[in-house]
Amino acid sequence: MKKLKKPIFLTFICGLICFISCASKIVSESSSKLSLGTHFKDLFYLGAAINENTILGLDPKSATIVNSEYNTISPENSLKWMFIQPSPNKFNFKAADKYVEMGLKNNMYIVGHALVWHNQLADFMQNLENSAETRAHVENHINTLVSRYKGKIDAWDVVNEAFEEDGSLRASVFYKNMGKNYIEEVFRKTEKVDPDVDLIYNDYNLYKPKKRAAVLEMVKKFKANGTKINGVGVQAHWDLKSPSIEEIEQIILDVHAAGVYVSFTELDISVLPNPWEMVGAEVTQNFSQFEGDPKMNPYPNGLPDNIQEKLAKRYQEIFNVFVKHSDKINRVTFWGVMDKHSWLNDWPIKGRTNYPLLFDRNYNPKPAYKSVLEVNTDQQN
Ligand code: XIL
């Protein structure tokens, strides 16, 4: 079910690395190490979301990490509706074109994120009331983007975050104006424009049984109706404790049983306090009353060793379960390249210092990087 884009290319790179390592008498420890992407290359794609600075060449250090460590990219913001079509039929392709160009140049598995989403939507879409008008805009958006990057983008997040926690459909402008079958309608529209691209439904909190059940009901309905869907994207904005490894495993098993693959599309692990036990990733959530509160921002000058170790261990446990079920997983993507640029420094409280990724604020690999690279890739189910 999973397709690896250019296994021959990756095998060649791997072979080349081995050759160089063996041939050289002075092999330093770091140059003999495999990259993260290469380490998992036979199991799933591994990658990162990249921001506009990286795409436009303004952050060459991030680009170097992405190109040397990963084999898939996602656009953190550049393909979202508010940026790419800010006003009716006025498209801004500058960053998106560069993004796709970067992926092609480096032989990456290229993800499009996201066609239909209630957040980061252009203003003109927010308050539409007319269904024909809404449909026309959605159709134009899909036609324009999907055809422009046809044969280049490998997978689209077609719809993002359409379900509420109780499994009901979110009352978005799309739902209100296009009706309860709008998700299936936009999947069909996307397939029509590019029949070969993978189509993903993406959401957060899928470790919660009610929400997951609703998404998987939808998948089964699509299958019964002959509507194409390739995978479920699990956002994976998690923390040091939640969700449990058992809960993560259950997501993989259930999505696979519904007949599609799993992609972990937005992995990051927050290490900061979450006293309100909020889960998920609703981007408009904002606890401004806690801004500047030192209790909410305990590590402004660096992560203590014991937390650093907890993070490394947590990442290793998560990747162990990914490896165990890698036959059901297409891709694992970190939501960002390095800690300083992570959206979790500002969400859900602005101005904190978070440490959710594998590379630190100086672009150096963290203990979590090493612990992921040490995961035994032979323990597949
Ligand atoms: C986030 C970006 O990382 C931020 O830069 C932006 O301000 C808000 O959106 N779920 C998603 C992603 O699907 O698109 C969101 O990305 C994080 C939550």
Side-chain angles (χ1 to χ4, degrees):
M1 195 174 297
K2 160 183 66 184
K3 52 169 190 176
L4 286 183
K5 198 174 185 183
K6 298 277 161 46
I8 298 173
F9 172 79
L10 290 171
T11 312
F12 168 71
I13 292 290
C14 182
L16 192 65
I17 290 170
C18 292
F19 171 73
I20 293 167
S21 309
C22 297
S24 166
K25 288 206 171 135
I26 329 153
V27 183
S28 75
E29 213 213 315
S30 68
S31 69
S32 67
K33 260 195 304 196
L34 295 175
S35 77
L36 289 167
T38 313
H39 187 62
F40 295 99
K41 75 173 173 39
D42 295 329
L43 307 185
F44 39 72
Y45 292 110
L46 192 70
I50 57 177
N51 64 24
E52 198 141 312
N53 280 344
T54 305
I55 293 169
L56 297 180
L58 304 173
D59 182 4
K61 288 186 175 171
S62 280
T64 300
I65 291 176
V66 173
N67 293 334
S68 57
E69 297 288 342
Y70 297 131
N71 48 41
T72 177
I73 46 174
S74 297
E76 185 173 3
N77 287 300
S78 308
L79 271 74
K80 291 175 181 172
W81 197 316
M82 68 183 286
F83 299 115
I84 205 158
Q85 194 195 170
S87 47
N89 212 29
K90 295 273 175 293
F91 287 87
N92 171 13
F93 293 120
K94 187 176 166 215
D97 283 356
K98 285 260 173 225
Y99 164 76
V100 172
E101 202 182 289
M102 174 174 167
L104 291 174
K105 195 168 148 213
N106 294 288
N107 203 41
M108 304 268 188
Y109 183 86
I110 306 172
V111 177
H113 172 83
L115 291 171
V116 169
W117 185 28
H118 66 286
N119 276 324
Q120 295 186 284
L121 191 55
D123 286 346
F124 76 91
M125 286 296 294
Q126 309 271 6
N127 301 314
L128 292 179
E129 283 176 0
N130 178 301
S131 67
E133 204 185 339
T134 308
R135 274 206 169 78
H137 282 306
V138 168
E139 186 141 355
N140 185 40
H141 193 72
I142 292 176
N143 283 344
T144 308
L145 263 63
V146 178
S147 64
R148 188 175 183 94
Y149 302 118
K150 187 173 175 170
K152 298 177 177 169
I153 281 187
D154 293 285
W156 274 106
D157 289 344
V158 182
V159 175
N160 196 24
E161 302 176 356
F163 288 91
E164 298 282 4
E165 299 309 291
D166 64 0
S168 62
L169 279 173
R170 190 187 291 278
S172 68
V173 69
F174 307 105
Y175 173 77
K176 285 194 261 185
N177 295 345
M178 294 171 69
K180 64 179 175 24
N181 293 325
Y182 85 92
I183 306 180
E184 189 158 8
E185 189 179 331
V186 299
F187 268 73
R188 283 179 175 255
K189 281 187 203 302
T190 308
E191 184 192 0
K192 209 166 138 205
V193 186
D194 185 353
D196 295 327
V197 74
D198 274 16
L199 306 181
I200 308 299
Y201 174 79
N202 194 52
D203 215 327
Y204 58 80
N205 281 353
L206 294 182
Y207 69 92
K208 294 193 165 182
K210 267 196 187 159
K211 193 165 185 178
R212 180 168 70 244
V215 170
L216 297 184
E217 268 312 300
M218 175 194 76
V219 170
K220 287 177 198 158
K221 191 175 132 229
F222 281 19
K223 295 240 156 205
N225 293 347
T227 302
K228 176 171 158 174
I229 178 164
N230 297 85
V232 169
V234 174
Q235 286 191 10
H237 299 294
W238 296 334
D239 65 30
L240 286 171
K241 290 203 181 105
S242 172
S244 69
I245 295 301
E246 292 71 29
E247 285 171 321
I248 296 171
E249 186 162 31
Q250 201 57 52
I251 306 176
I252 303 173
L253 294 172
D254 288 358
V255 172
H256 177 73
V260 291
Y261 64 64
V262 190
S263 285
F264 290 93
T265 54
E266 307 183 14
L267 177 59
D268 47 24
I269 306 288
S270 174
V271 300
L272 296 185
N274 179 13
W276 47 88
E277 299 206 349
M278 190 192 66
V279 291
E282 169 53 49
V283 297
T284 55
Q285 257 162 341
N286 176 11
F287 292 79
S288 53
Q289 70 273 29
F290 291 115
E291 257 173 57
D293 180 343
K295 279 205 278 321
M296 293 297 157
N297 190 26
Y299 319 121
N301 304 315
L303 196 60
D305 287 350
N306 65 325
I307 313 289
Q308 193 78 263
E309 277 158 32
K310 273 191 192 161
L311 181 70
K313 189 161 171 273
R314 173 81 164 137
Y315 263 120
Q316 191 165 69
E317 285 168 359
I318 289 171
F319 272 81
N320 277 334
V321 78
F322 289 170
V323 168
K324 180 175 174 196
H325 293 294
S326 61
D327 58 323
K328 308 167 188 73
I329 298 174
N330 180 62
R331 158 173 79 90
V332 177
T333 300
F334 295 99
W335 202 244
V337 178
M338 57 90 115
D339 286 343
K340 193 170 156 194
H341 302 148
S342 164
W343 77 301
L344 291 177
N345 293 307
D346 289 310
W347 182 89
I349 303 175
K350 276 210 172 71
R352 297 200 294 178
T353 309
N354 211 334
Y355 302 83
L357 298 165
L358 302 191
F359 291 86
D360 70 16
R361 287 178 154 64
N362 297 314
Y363 301 90
N364 291 320
K366 294 157 62 175
Y369 171 93
K370 195 162 166 272
S371 73
V372 170
L373 205 53
E374 280 170 3
V375 164
N376 176 4
T377 52
D378 291 333
Q379 43 176 339
Q380 222 180 326
N381 239 2

